[in-house]
Amino acid sequence: MNHQCTHRPMGRLDPITGLPNRMEFMASYRPKPGAQLVMLTLSDPKQFDELLRAIGHEHAEDFMRAGAVRLTEVMAPAIDIYHISILSFAFIMPFGAMPDLLHRINDQFNKPLTCGRIPVTADIALGVADCQDADAAFVLRAGLAAARDCRDTGRDWARYNRKTDTAHQRGFLLLTHLTSAIKADDQLYLHFQPKYDMASGEPTSAEALLRWRHPVFGNVPPAEFAPLAEATAHIHPLTEWVLHHAISQAGAWAAKGLRLNTAINVSPRNLARRGFAVQVAKLLNCYGVEPSRIELEFTEGVLVSNDPVVLEELRALRATGIRIALDDFGTGFANFSYITHLPADIIKIDKSFIQKITTDPRAAMVVRSLIDLAHELDYSVVAEGIESEKAYAMLKSWNCDEGQGFYMSPPIDPTALALKLNQAPALA
Ligand code: C2E
Ligand code: MG
Ligand code: MG
């Protein structure tokens, strides 16, 4: 393939493509002003995994070989191409000639590669990283991070960006630290934010919101770490922790005679696991909590998969008397038709709509119509993110059933909440 490869020791050639490999790159790399590394990834790893399953290892190797040939054909013969890892190739050249070349590479890879007579179109991503002050290991990692950005943003190519890279690295660290946080007893804790009946102003329930006091990063917001956990199997022990602590708190409130439901956020992934409803029932039993005292909040992601297990688990949960709420309603809208047959009781309109109702008449119209629509379909409606008396009054006049927001109370610790609810007069 690349004639220069033959002069290299065998251990430094990739056995599939015959190109110099990562070890050779590390040995020959020198930082150079003006030089740039281009990293090309042939496919998203998940898609490649599917390809492997569909056509087998042998043809998948053809895919890599064909990718290497295609790339070598576009490049000037004097440029060394390295096969860095299964799906990634790298080369170095000055930036001047680059934008044109990167477009040419994209063009060439629009034509399918042939894998044992099967045409497969590679979904390539191109990342560019500066070689001036970077050592070999860093420049490879930076190239890969840029290629990931390229894939995430759908652009033709992306330059290394320290900010997104730092965010990715922090995300990775948070994920690796989550397991020990779940086991430690001083890092995770719950705050509770009350919801109120809009008509009477009486508190109806309290939503458990997870907090993480990280020993190095300090307070990490759930909007940062919950989605990371949701993308991996970490979500299962994390949700178990939340269920355990929130239901135990619900039991303690019931024992004190506080008439308050407890709402718990659960990831769509939890529902895709058979036995979730049984797990919840066991915890309720263990803490002596009536199922009718529990609301489980899920996001629309639940419905995207159309997974029969998800629907079965939702129905099993509802059959026990637990109420199901669809959280952040209005932010997904992958397919609106699902709301006609959703196994849920409550729709929580996302705060991004509610926050605008006092200033944007069109947002107000949307929320008012959503409330009517949800009522027609027999859902109860909760507005989240109520930040002013005016917003509260508007939602009340539109017959919104329940409301939650900083105007009434931010999330607070359970002792403060019990105190607040015992002392405070009804809102209305
Ligand atoms: P969510 O379930 O939609 O929770 C509502 C979020 O809005 C909370 O943020 C709450 O503090 C915030 N909020 C409430 N009222 C207002 C308001 O008036 N104005 C504004 N600006 N914000 C308000 P938080 O606690 O940071 O949680 C963010 C998200 O993290 C949650 O959104 C939920 O998706 C996720 N999350 C939190 N706890 C858990 C958990 O235990 N498990 C899972 N899977 N996700 C969780
Ligand atoms: Mg929620
Ligand atoms: Mg929400």
Side-chain angles (χ1 to χ4, degrees), residues 327-328 348 350 384:
D327 205 350
D328 302 345
K348 272 187 99 171
D350 191 64
E384 67 173 22

Side-chain angles (χ1 to χ4, degrees), residues 79-368:
I79 304 280
D80 276 342
I81 299 168
Y82 297 84
H83 191 166
I84 302 295
S85 65
I86 296 180
L87 291 172
S88 60
F89 298 86
F91 58 87
I92 288 179
M93 59 187 297
F95 188 72
M98 201 88 87
D100 225 29
L101 173 72
L102 297 176
H103 285 125
R104 244 183 14 249
I105 294 175
N106 271 311
D107 274 354
Q108 287 306 310
F109 275 92
N110 279 334
K111 298 177 218 149
L113 303 172
T114 306
C115 313
R117 295 208 206 103
I118 308 164
V120 177
T121 305
D123 179 18
I124 65 160
L126 291 165
V128 177
D130 200 334
C131 299
Q132 181 151 351
D133 302 311
D135 66 24
F138 179 83
V139 82
L140 285 181
R141 209 183 59 69
L144 208 56
R148 182 74 250 173
D149 280 357
C150 167
R151 203 169 280 294
D152 290 345
T153 54
R155 280 178 288 163
D156 281 352
W157 55 278
R159 259 183 181 288
Y160 171 70
N161 179 321
R162 190 175 298 277
K163 237 164 104 187
T164 46
D165 185 34
T166 309
H168 273 127
Q169 282 187 299
R170 177 176 152 109
F172 178 74
L173 282 180
L174 287 177
L175 259 188
T176 56
H177 296 170
L178 197 54
T179 309
S180 51
I182 292 169
K183 287 192 187 128
D185 56 8
D186 58 350
Q187 293 193 34
L188 298 181
Y189 58 100
L190 293 176
H191 270 176
F192 290 83
Q193 186 180 29
K195 297 182 212 172
Y196 293 84
D197 178 282
M198 299 290 288
S200 69
E202 295 287 347
T204 49
S205 65
E207 177 178 5
L209 292 160
L210 189 54
R211 301 290 177 255
W212 183 3
R213 199 183 298 112
H214 187 282
V216 178
F217 296 133
N219 292 329
V220 185
E224 181 177 4
F225 69 83
L228 292 172
E230 278 174 12
T232 67
H234 285 292
I235 194 61
H236 298 299
L238 188 67
T239 298
E240 212 170 294
W241 189 98
V242 173
L243 285 170
H244 181 84
H245 286 79
I247 294 175
S248 140
Q249 184 60 59
W253 280 332
K256 279 191 188 148
L258 202 66
R259 293 191 58 77
L260 195 66
N261 289 351
T262 301
I264 305 170
N265 288 287
V266 181
S267 156
R269 251 182 115 111
N270 298 129
L271 277 179
R273 232 191 199 187
R274 218 176 273 284
F276 180 71
V278 174
Q279 182 194 358
V280 174
K282 276 189 190 153
L283 282 169
L284 293 178
N285 197 26
C286 168
Y287 290 108
V289 175
E290 289 293 322
S292 60
R293 284 262 162 252
I294 299 296
E295 295 164 14
L296 292 181
E297 299 190 1
F298 298 95
T299 51
E300 279 167 301
V302 152
L303 311 149
V304 173
S305 65
N306 243 337
D307 183 341
V309 178
V310 168
L311 295 175
E312 268 170 49
E313 293 295 322
L314 275 176
R315 290 194 187 105
L317 287 164
R318 281 185 90 205
T320 66
I322 289 174
R323 301 211 307 156
I324 304 293
L326 189 65
D327 205 350
D328 302 345
F329 184 73
T331 51
F333 276 113
N335 178 358
F336 193 55
S337 69
Y338 67 75
I339 83 154
T340 57
H341 55 269
L342 192 64
D345 308 274
I346 304 164
I347 279 180
K348 272 187 99 171
I349 303 178
D350 191 64
K351 57 178 177 295
S352 56
F353 290 101
I354 305 297
Q355 283 165 330
K356 283 192 243 159
I357 58 171
T358 52
T359 50
D360 177 352
R362 294 174 76 84
M365 181 65 80
V366 169
V367 169
R368 193 178 176 168

